[in-house]
Amino acid sequence: MNRRQLIATAAASAAALATPALARQASGALMSRPQPPVANKIPVRIEQLGRVRVDDYQWMKDDNWQAVLRDPTLIKADVKEHLTAENAYREAMMASTLPLQATMFEEMKGRIKEDDSSVPSPDGDWEYYVEYKTGDQHPRYMRVERQGTWMVDGQPVTKNFIVAPTPQLLLDANELAKGKAYSEVSSTEHSPDHALFAYAEDAQGSEVHKIYVKDLATGEVLPNPIESANGNFTFSPDSQWIFWTNRDDNGRPDKIFRRPARGGEATLVYEETDDGMFQGVVRTADNRFVILQIQNQETSEVRFIPAETPTADPVVLEPRVAARRYDADHWGDRWVIRTNADDSIDFKIVEAPTATPGKANWTDLIPHTPGRYIEGVALVKDYLARQERADANTRIVIRDRAGAEHEIAVDEPAYSLSLGGAYEFDTTTMRYAYNSPSTPTSTYDYDLESRERTLRKVQEVPSGHDPADYVVERVNAPAADGQLVPVTILRRKTTPVNGSAPLLLYGYGSYGIPMPASFSTGRLSLVDRGWIYAIAHIRGGSDKGWGWFLNARRNTKKNTFTDFIAAAEHLITTGHAKAGHIVAQGGSAGGLLMGAVNNMRPDLWAGVIGQVPFVDIINTMSDTSLPLTPPEWPEWGNPIEDVEAYDYIASYSPYDNIEAKPYPAVLATGGLSDPRVTYWEPEKWVAKLRPATTSGKPVLLKINMEAGHGGASGRFDYLKEVAHDYAFAVWAIDRGWEKA
């Protein structure tokens, strides 16, 4: 009998001493309510750097996890049995939410235009796009012959068809997914000569990919696909070769290979000996080079291969130096490099000669400005566009070769601009997209010379949506150290701001990844029910610049958690929420945030949703066999070698800081094939949290037995997962477990 059963039995016995009627009621409630699975405790003593910890649930980690990622059927029987029991318990507890889940799913589905397509992107004689047919879970990749006038090698080309050309199907991902529980096309690319089309498929959610190459003249998928890839690849500028990144048995990108594009023997191009570095391969904007980008969270290095010698060994652009990052592209006659060198915390842009691109020859093109974080650069023949972030909003700045600049800006309190760039180099048109929490996405083509923009598409919401019905606000929550944490708020105009509305507070706060103030049709299923939806732009992300990230990593990581708590407290002060009437949500490293704030301030939350939560951090960062452990030491610290890092991680690790206290209702989710946050992290968290909570509120686990880190692969199946999580939020506010 577990602790919860003992407490319930004791309560029933106490009632029996009072009145027989009360005793019968208590006993009936105990018998009718679903009972949670009881996880076996098998204590394992771990001694590390003179510290000792005891892990009761280490048995949940499958020692054969590498094989399980590739074939989930190989999971240990006792682990599968426990996960199956946890899923059944959650389903039984949340059975009353099934009508709400179904309603929310239909709402979300109704907001999606089922027969939809992207704006075609021109490249040479073709325009490429993606479409969905009604009922399709997966996209269809298409192209159509291009009409109009465009530039080729500096000369105009004009083609006009009397009859509109017939689109050509490159790949139907629905056919690829047939008979599979999971199928995700992670990346696609056509060859520069438009003769081949390649795509990378993950068929189990473990991010182990096969790369297929299709001959577009014959329609044949060529034999011998590339195995054990991480999904990243590119063709050589002459279209004769394909380069890709290998994925080793520990899930790391360890090598870059090359082979003839139509098949043949693979040749090793580069092998990275540092387990802590990621790597990828891409072509430059002007098709002059193949780029090998090697990096972790704080250090990077670029190597390049000239287009005219695609089989040559890669050349180092500038040797790596600890804590210096840079990335590079080529602008026709020079290198353009984004870097944090020379104490440029928020990055600057430099240029360098094609033949001598090392740092000794770097010249500032766009100097560093503190607080203006340069996120990325897009190049065409005569223009450079950069995307910047400041105060949790974005802007796009256009610069010509003479140095004249102008800005694409939006006058709203919270919004998102995203720079799409262009396939072609010899063009004066770039694409960008705009949205806000209340406004669906608009896609524009922007003429860099005339500064005219052409609206190409507005995201359609078939069931209807009027942005005027909503209010978007931006408030700044004061943190304990005086920093101001931006918080983006979305609500209906009719929703009162007096603490009576339930509020969902979302956060992430790691790796320098910002949370955009963007539009989401799914959120409307809460907001239209009188909820307030808020995003906390906390430290650990780059929402207020790269320094915003640097101020919440390693031994300052707790700033992420205290910022989130400060955001919640400020929303209470402003009348947007009240304590105990907030649901907190975050995923992956945002799940670490959920676990930490759940321990630190359980009184603030009615519910906590930890999606694929990274909660067993001290154990994970001490296991060098796991895919992300060495690459993530710059983010968290190395608890294997550094006592200070061990102690600091141990002081906030959600799994290690669970204690007897009244926790809110908790939902943890995970995927059996997840290589990033392995399934046993949420499983162990729930096993330890459930007997510790004194509130009587449920702790639930949902493990997708057929998916990985990103959840279900189909667009409608994914919506079902969103509807489930939002239904849990409503259930937590309404104390739905009391009716279970």
Side-chain angles (χ1 to χ4, degrees), residues 260-275:
R262 293 179 179 272
E265 184 178 352
T267 300
L268 178 65
V269 176
Y270 174 74
E271 180 174 6
E272 176 57 50
T273 58
D274 185 342
D275 287 342

Side-chain angles (χ1 to χ4, degrees), residues 30 39 88 92 107 258 447 459 466 508 564 641 649 699 709 725:
L30 177 63
E107 291 170 358
R258 177 194 70 240
D447 190 300
Q459 179 183 355
D466 186 352
Y508 186 74
F564 190 83
E641 299 178 352
I649 293 171
V699 177
H709 198 65
D725 294 352

Side-chain angles (χ1 to χ4, degrees), residues 114 131-138 140 172 174 715-716:
E114 290 201 38
E131 70 175 17
Y132 286 90
K133 297 294 188 182
T134 299
D136 280 356
Q137 289 260 36
H138 302 275
R140 291 159 47 94
D172 186 343
N174 298 280
R715 60 173 175 162
F716 301 133

Side-chain angles (χ1 to χ4, degrees), residues 44-55 618-619 622 638-651 656:
V44 174
R45 185 179 184 274
I46 304 166
E47 185 172 351
Q48 189 170 329
L49 295 178
R51 276 70 171 149
V52 174
R53 64 185 186 274
V54 176
D55 190 346
I618 192 72
N619 281 320
S622 300
N638 182 347
I640 301 175
E641 299 178 352
D642 185 342
V643 170
E644 184 181 4
Y646 183 102
D647 290 342
Y648 190 75
I649 293 171
S651 73
D656 296 282

Side-chain angles (χ1 to χ4, degrees), residues 590-649:
L592 163 68
L593 167 68
M594 292 301 102
V597 300
N598 192 43
N599 287 334
M600 294 166 70
R601 288 296 303 278
D603 58 299
L604 289 174
W605 327 114
V608 169
I609 303 172
Q611 300 163 295
V612 288
F614 177 37
V615 285
D616 191 18
I617 181 169
I618 192 72
N619 281 320
T620 295
M621 286 296 101
S622 300
D623 187 345
T624 58
S625 73
L626 293 174
L628 296 184
T629 294
E632 297 213 349
W633 285 332
E635 178 83 11
W636 314 105
N638 182 347
I640 301 175
E641 299 178 352
D642 185 342
V643 170
E644 184 181 4
Y646 183 102
D647 290 342
Y648 190 75
I649 293 171

Side-chain angles (χ1 to χ4, degrees), residues 391-392 473-489 505-509 515 534-541 543-544 548 551-552 558-571 574 593:
D391 294 324
E473 301 171 86
R474 171 64 61 76
V475 299
N476 288 292
D481 60 359
Q483 292 285 347
L484 294 178
V485 181
V487 183
T488 299
I489 300 166
L505 182 60
Y506 186 88
Y508 186 74
M515 288 295 103
I535 302 169
H537 303 280
I538 52 184
R539 279 176 281 187
D543 306 67
K544 291 183 70 174
W548 200 241
N551 201 13
K558 290 181 184 178
N559 284 336
T560 299
F561 318 139
T562 55
D563 279 2
F564 190 83
I565 291 169
E569 290 176 328
H570 188 66
L571 291 170
T574 58
L593 167 68

Side-chain angles (χ1 to χ4, degrees), residues 10-24:
S13 299
L17 293 175
T19 67
L22 287 175
R24 285 193 297 273

